[in-house]
């Protein structure tokens, strides 16, 4: 197993290499002159040229790329054009905030998604099933910024229970995590339901009943674990949407995270920040998919025993 | 104290499809004696599996329901209970403990994501109240009893690592682990190849004799019946049409359907002879014929057969048959 994980991490290197080239290339396609941005509107042409020379923008693009990659290997993500601070420094707190937020939303999505999906499957075509699936459909169709605004209106403005934004303590994470995870929660609920229904019709469930097992044990121990295989897969795939959604949700909640920083940086054309951030998102996405594969083989012994 | 472990009386089971009731079992009668192997035979779709599921009340997830009849089970020396009307919780505690079951599909009847040991110890912990460690020892013993080599390793393996025959042995070990009084085996060897089939049948017969356990063996293979059973019940379209000891049945089948079944078994020695088969098909539950359900396919059918169902008549040697041929008055009338 460890060997497998190690191999998978090695495989990430060429993927990231290609991704970094693409990101670098596309960023350079964006119209606009970074040197002009740094210098300001009133700067003279000479000043702008000098800045361009200093930033290395006159070098051929492959050379720029190489020196950029050299920096990354040494842990240097460049310097923000807007603030003049090293990008790593700008990321420090925001990165952890965003990681917490992402995890909080995934976890609530998993817990409630699996719970709702299970209840729906067990009470198939009865009231709890309809309620659960209505919740799921609304979760998928309501855009997360809209959900965020409604939640702020209810829980912050009217009830005053939770803050409208920031990232001070756990309370400020509740509403953003709920808005961010709602779509995935709904998706997980639906997949859990259909997958569990299929599993409940399997022969080994009948074997379990013939052994005299309680229905609860049968569902929680025998059926759910089998049903989680497709659920884990889609959760991994949905993670990309989560990263995208975080940009919107963090803006709605003025959350000091990577998503909002990305929006701000794009508005300012802060290329080094955008570039570093996209790269980081890619790493996250690839890591999550690795995690999914590991979980997958844990859930499915057939895969585990053949890769071991 | 009675000598009968299970008595099925007038059992009727039906499905409800789109609010419409479809009756599949039309009053099934038979009994199983203590320590006896009873064969239940009949063509595909005649309701053999449904009969066994009715005994176990394994209806969850289907629309099946017992609509009439009783299933009397001798729970212990003093107590006889009717399985059709005990509470679900009591029924659940009987399953796997006093009545165990083996299914046809060894490949899919075990949970693919749980180790053999985990699945095997479940009923042991549940019904015998053993702790983890003791249950494990017991499970390894059971695996050895059913002839699984390196039982202490197999217990840590997953079903997909075992062959079909091995899996069926595991199923047998699981069914036998709580020492049931009655074992129901629904075509336990149909999915296995012939040599494995013989081994599994030998094993079951041997375990059954060691424990003096009663067994209901469902099959459509008369060869299996001849080898394994003491008595046979023949079903046709949701009814028992003949019941006899194995010897009697093969020697002098009474019902034309039974005769047809026996004639369609290939025999060594006359391979050149064309195999006879029963013409026509089993009627579906939705369009059951009037009168005797076998009449449209019967070579000996008489006018009365198409009008009225024959009653079950008792014969010498404790055998039963439902056919107008043996109703002397009717025979006289029709001749
Ligand atoms: N959901 C259902 N609704 C209506 N009829 C059903 C349903 N499920 C099964 N049946 C009918 O029940 C009858 C008995 O099925 P059963 O599985 O008991 O047959 P069997 O004798 O075990 O056959 P086989 O040898 O193929 O296993 C069949 O004729 C089938 O059409
Ligand atoms: Mg069957």
């Amino acid at each position: 197993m460890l060997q497998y994980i190690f191999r998978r991490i090695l495989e990430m290197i060429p993927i990231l290499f290609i991704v970094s080239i693409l990101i670098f290339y596309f960023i350079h396609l964006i119209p606009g002159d970074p040197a002009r941005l740094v210098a300001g509107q009133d700067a003279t042409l000479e000043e702008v040229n000098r800045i361009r020379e200093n930033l290395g923008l006159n070098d051929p693009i492959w050379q720029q790329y190489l020196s950029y990659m050299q920096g990354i290997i040494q842990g240097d993500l460049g310097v923000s054009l807007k603030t003049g601070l090293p990008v790593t420094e700008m990321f420090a707190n925001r990165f952890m905030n965003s990681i917490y937020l992402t995890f909080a939303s995934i976890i609530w999505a998993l817990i409630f998604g699996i719970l709702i999906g299970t209840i729906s499957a067990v009470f198939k075509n009865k009231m709890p099933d309809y309620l659960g699936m209505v919740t799921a459909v609304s979760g998928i169709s309501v855009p997360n910024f809209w959900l965020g605004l409604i939640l702020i209106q209810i829980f912050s403005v009217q009830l005053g229970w939770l803050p409208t934004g920031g990232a001070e303590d756990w309370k400020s994470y509740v509403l953003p995590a709920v808005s961010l995870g709602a779509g995935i929660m709904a998706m997980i609920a639906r997949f859990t339901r259909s997958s569990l229904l299929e599993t409940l019709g399997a022969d080994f469930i009948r074997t379990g009943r013939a052994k005299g097992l309680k229905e609860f044990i049968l569902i929680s121990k025998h059926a759910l674990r089998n049903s989680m295989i497709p659920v884990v897969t889609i959760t991994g795939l949905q993670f990309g949407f989560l990263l995208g959604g975080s940009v919107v949700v963090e803006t709605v909640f003025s959350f000091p995270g990577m998503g909002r920083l990305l929006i701000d940086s794009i508005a300012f054309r802060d290329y080094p920040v955008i570039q570093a951030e996209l790269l980081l998102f890619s790493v996250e996405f690839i890591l999550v998919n690795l995690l999914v594969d590991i979980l997958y083989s844990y859930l499915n012994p057939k895969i585990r025993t053949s890769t071991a | 104290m009675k000598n009968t472990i299970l008595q099925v009386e007038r059992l009727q089971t039906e499905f409800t499809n789109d609010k419409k009731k479809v009756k599949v079992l039309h009053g099934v009668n038979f009994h199983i004696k203590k320590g006896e192997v009873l064969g239940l035979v009949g063509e595909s779709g005649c309701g053999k599996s449904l009969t066994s599921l009715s005994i176990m009340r394994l209806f969850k997830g289907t629309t099946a329901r017992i609509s009439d009849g009783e299933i009397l089970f001798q729970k212990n020396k003093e107590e006889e209970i009717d399985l059709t009307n005990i509470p679900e919780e009591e029924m659940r505690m009987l399953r796997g403990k006093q009545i165990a079951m083996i299914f046809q599909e060894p490949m899919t009847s075990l949970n693919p994501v749980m180790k053999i040991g985990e699945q095997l110890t479940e009923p042991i912990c549940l019904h015998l109240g053993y702790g983890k460690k003791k249950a494990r020892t017991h499970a390894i013993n059971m695996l050895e009893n059913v002839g699984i080599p390196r039982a202490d390793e197999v217990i840590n393996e997953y079903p997909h690592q075992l062959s079909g025959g091995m899996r069926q042995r595991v199923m047998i070990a699981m069914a036998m682990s709580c020492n049931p009084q009655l074992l129901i085996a629904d075509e336990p060897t149909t999915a296995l190849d012939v040599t494995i089939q013989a081994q599994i049948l030998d094993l079951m017969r041997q375990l059954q004799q060691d424990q003096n356990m009663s067994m209901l063996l469902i099959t459509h293979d008369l060869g299996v019946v001849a080898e394994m059973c003491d008595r046979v019940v023949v079903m046709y379209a949701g009814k028992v049409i003949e019941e006899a000891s194995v010897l009697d049945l093969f020697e002098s089948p009474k019902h034309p359907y039974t005769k047809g079944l026996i004639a369609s078994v290939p025999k060594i020695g006359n391979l050149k002879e064309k195999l006879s088969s029963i013409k026509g098909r089993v009627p579906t539950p939705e369009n059951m014929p009037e009168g005797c359900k076998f009449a449209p396919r019967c070579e000996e059918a008489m006018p009365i057969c198409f009008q009225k169902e024959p009653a079950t008549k008792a014969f010498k040697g404790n055998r039963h048959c439902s056919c107008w041929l043996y109703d002397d008055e009717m025979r006289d009338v029709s001749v």
Side-chain angles (χ1 to χ4, degrees):
Chain A
M1 195 68 211
L2 268 176
Q3 214 178 348
Y4 169 73
I5 296 174
F6 187 69
R7 204 185 71 217
R8 286 295 309 270
I9 290 179
L10 278 185
E11 278 171 12
M12 279 175 64
I13 293 173
I15 298 177
L16 279 176
F17 183 68
I18 294 168
V19 166
S20 68
I21 291 180
L22 287 177
I23 291 175
F24 199 83
Y25 180 66
F26 282 122
I27 296 268
H28 276 259
L29 287 183
I30 302 176
D33 184 357
R36 168 57 76 185
L37 279 173
V38 174
Q41 288 303 322
D42 317 324
T44 62
L45 204 61
E46 280 114 74
E47 271 178 317
V48 174
N49 280 338
R50 193 164 40 77
I51 288 173
R52 185 176 295 130
E53 187 60 37
N54 283 348
L55 289 173
L57 293 173
N58 287 333
D59 298 339
I61 185 164
W62 58 268
Q63 208 168 344
Q64 291 183 38
Y65 173 74
L66 284 185
S67 59
Y68 181 68
M69 285 313 278
Q70 212 174 358
I72 286 187
I73 288 165
Q74 292 160 2
D76 174 14
L77 294 174
V79 175
S80 161
L81 299 180
K82 186 182 172 192
T83 61
L85 292 170
V87 174
T88 38
E89 211 168 284
M90 293 178 69
F91 280 2
N93 289 326
R94 291 190 172 91
F95 182 67
M96 285 326 284
N97 288 348
S98 281
I99 291 281
Y100 294 145
L101 178 60
T102 318
F103 268 89
S105 38
I106 283 271
I107 284 168
W108 101 263
L110 275 173
I111 292 176
F112 282 87
I114 292 173
L115 201 68
I116 291 177
T118 306
I119 291 172
S120 286
V122 172
F123 295 97
K124 185 191 167 197
N125 292 343
K126 301 213 179 80
M127 209 51 208
D129 182 19
Y130 297 134
L131 278 178
M133 286 306 107
V134 166
T135 315
V137 170
S138 359
I140 290 174
S141 20
V142 174
N144 47 23
F145 73 91
W146 175 244
L147 181 62
L149 292 175
I150 292 178
L151 289 176
I152 291 178
Q153 179 63 28
I154 298 175
F155 292 99
S156 308
V157 178
Q158 288 184 358
L159 297 171
W161 291 351
L162 297 163
T164 57
E168 276 73 56
D169 54 1
W170 66 269
K171 277 187 184 168
S172 37
Y173 281 88
V174 175
L175 296 184
V178 169
S179 340
L180 187 54
I184 295 195
M185 185 277 281
M187 200 80 102
I188 292 174
R190 290 178 53 161
F191 270 81
T192 303
R193 177 182 184 273
S194 60
S195 174
L196 190 58
L197 279 178
E198 198 181 315
T199 313
L200 283 175
D203 284 350
F204 66 82
I205 293 295
R206 190 183 53 188
T207 306
R209 290 200 178 105
K211 284 198 275 195
L213 295 184
K214 281 201 177 93
E215 206 59 18
F216 178 75
I217 303 250
L218 207 57
I219 290 168
S220 58
K221 214 169 136 195
H222 284 253
L224 261 183
R225 211 163 127 192
N226 277 280
S227 314
M228 280 306 102
I229 292 169
V231 173
V232 163
T233 313
I234 67 120
T235 310
L237 290 175
Q238 291 297 312
F239 187 76
F241 287 99
L242 202 68
L243 291 178
S246 71
V247 174
V248 178
V249 169
E250 286 184 7
T251 309
V252 170
F253 285 93
S254 335
F255 184 87
M258 300 291 282
R260 197 157 62 97
L261 180 62
L262 184 63
I263 289 282
D264 294 348
S265 312
I266 290 173
F268 190 79
R269 303 244 159 79
D270 197 344
Y271 299 118
V273 179
I274 303 175
Q275 209 159 284
E277 203 158 307
L278 291 184
L279 215 53
L280 213 57
F281 276 180
S282 316
V283 175
E284 273 177 49
F285 189 75
I286 293 172
L287 277 178
V288 163
N289 276 290
L290 174 61
L291 191 71
V292 164
D293 284 352
I294 293 170
L295 251 175
Y296 192 83
S297 70
Y298 165 76
L299 286 170
N300 192 346
K302 217 166 180 165
I303 291 182
R304 194 178 345 146
T305 44
S306 63
T307 53
Chain B
M1 201 185 98
K2 275 183 19 188
N3 192 25
T4 311
I5 182 99
L6 187 88
Q7 177 136 18
V8 177
E9 290 275 0
R10 306 180 320 279
L11 175 67
Q12 304 202 7
T13 303
E14 62 190 21
F15 288 94
T16 310
N17 292 340
D18 304 323
K19 305 233 162 97
K20 236 180 67 201
K21 291 197 165 104
V22 182
K23 191 172 281 182
V24 176
L25 299 185
H26 301 260
V28 171
N29 297 299
F30 66 88
H31 67 277
I32 306 173
K33 294 194 201 119
K34 291 205 171 111
E36 170 186 63
V37 180
L38 180 74
L40 183 58
V41 296
E43 277 167 292
S44 193
C46 69
K48 305 182 296 291
S49 296
L50 193 59
T51 304
S52 66
L53 294 176
S54 301
I55 296 171
M56 291 285 270
R57 272 179 34 192
L58 284 177
F59 291 151
K60 196 121 202 182
T62 72
T63 59
R65 188 182 78 90
I66 295 174
S67 56
D68 197 14
E70 42 191 38
I71 301 172
L72 302 172
F73 178 67
Q74 193 74 36
K75 194 175 173 188
N76 47 45
K77 284 198 172 89
E78 296 86 37
E79 210 182 340
E80 189 179 61
I81 49 175
D82 181 356
L83 300 183
T84 60
N85 62 21
I86 57 171
E88 173 57 27
E89 192 58 18
E90 193 181 342
M91 187 70 222
R92 183 174 70 74
M93 291 311 286
L94 280 180
R95 292 189 197 118
K97 178 156 197 234
Q98 270 148 324
I99 311 178
M101 194 157 177
I102 304 170
F103 300 96
Q104 176 174 350
E105 288 298 334
M107 303 314 266
T108 51
S109 290
L110 288 165
N111 189 335
V113 306
M114 276 169 79
K115 288 181 181 161
I116 301 292
E118 273 180 89
Q119 304 191 48
L120 211 47
T121 50
E122 264 177 346
I124 300 172
C125 295
L126 177 72
H127 296 303
L128 303 180
Y130 285 9
K132 274 249 156 70
K133 222 166 160 186
K134 203 171 161 199
R136 201 183 147 83
T137 316
H138 186 60
I140 294 179
N141 274 338
M142 289 311 299
L143 287 180
E144 280 165 355
N145 284 349
V146 297
I148 289 188
R150 7 166 244 113
D152 50 339
E153 286 170 39
V154 167
I155 204 157
N156 288 321
E157 288 179 0
Y158 289 93
H160 72 269
Q161 292 167 290
L162 304 178
S163 68
M166 282 297 153
R167 287 190 215 181
Q168 199 60 306
R169 283 176 196 264
V170 170
M171 288 296 290
I172 294 172
M174 198 151 78
M176 302 288 292
S177 62
C178 299
N179 224 334
Q181 280 121 290
L182 174 65
L183 177 69
I184 302 176
D186 190 351
E187 315 213 19
T189 57
T190 309
L192 306 172
D193 66 48
V194 192
T195 47
I196 309 290
Q197 216 174 71
Q199 291 171 10
I200 296 285
L201 289 174
D202 277 351
L203 170 71
M204 288 176 64
R205 184 75 196 182
Q206 176 216 325
L207 290 171
Q208 180 267 333
Q209 279 169 350
D210 290 352
Q211 318 261 347
N212 195 31
M213 179 181 65
S214 310
M215 190 156 110
L216 177 64
L217 179 64
I218 298 175
T219 176
H220 50 239
D221 184 343
L222 285 175
V224 171
V225 169
E227 207 167 300
M228 295 282 293
C229 300
D230 302 312
R231 273 190 321 124
V232 199
V233 161
V234 183
M235 272 183 83
Y236 185 80
K239 273 199 117 160
V240 172
I241 52 121
E242 183 160 3
E243 178 192 336
S245 73
V246 170
L247 271 179
D248 287 344
L249 192 89
F250 281 95
E251 216 154 76
S252 58
K254 285 197 181 297
H255 200 286
Y257 177 63
T258 317
K259 289 178 196 165
L261 276 185
I262 292 175
S264 60
V265 177
K267 287 183 194 69
I268 299 173
N270 48 359
L271 283 175
K272 287 202 192 85
E273 205 174 294
K274 204 166 154 267
L275 268 184
S276 69
S277 64
I278 306 170
K279 284 194 283 296
R281 289 239 213 114
V282 189
T284 58
E286 287 85 1
N287 39 37
M288 277 295 159
E290 290 270 304
C292 172
K293 296 179 174 58
F294 185 60
R297 300 172 68 190
C298 183
E299 290 181 343
E300 299 173 65
M302 306 170 287
I304 179 78
C305 300
F306 294 93
Q307 288 149 21
K308 268 181 82 180
E309 282 220 70
T312 305
K313 290 198 77 174
F315 293 86
K316 215 170 62 217
N318 223 341
R319 52 190 299 189
H320 295 89
C321 177
S322 332
C323 179
W324 285 119
L325 286 177
Y326 302 97
D327 200 307
D328 294 333
E329 284 166 44
M330 280 307 152
R331 198 173 176 96
D332 289 342
V333 171
S334 59
V335 166

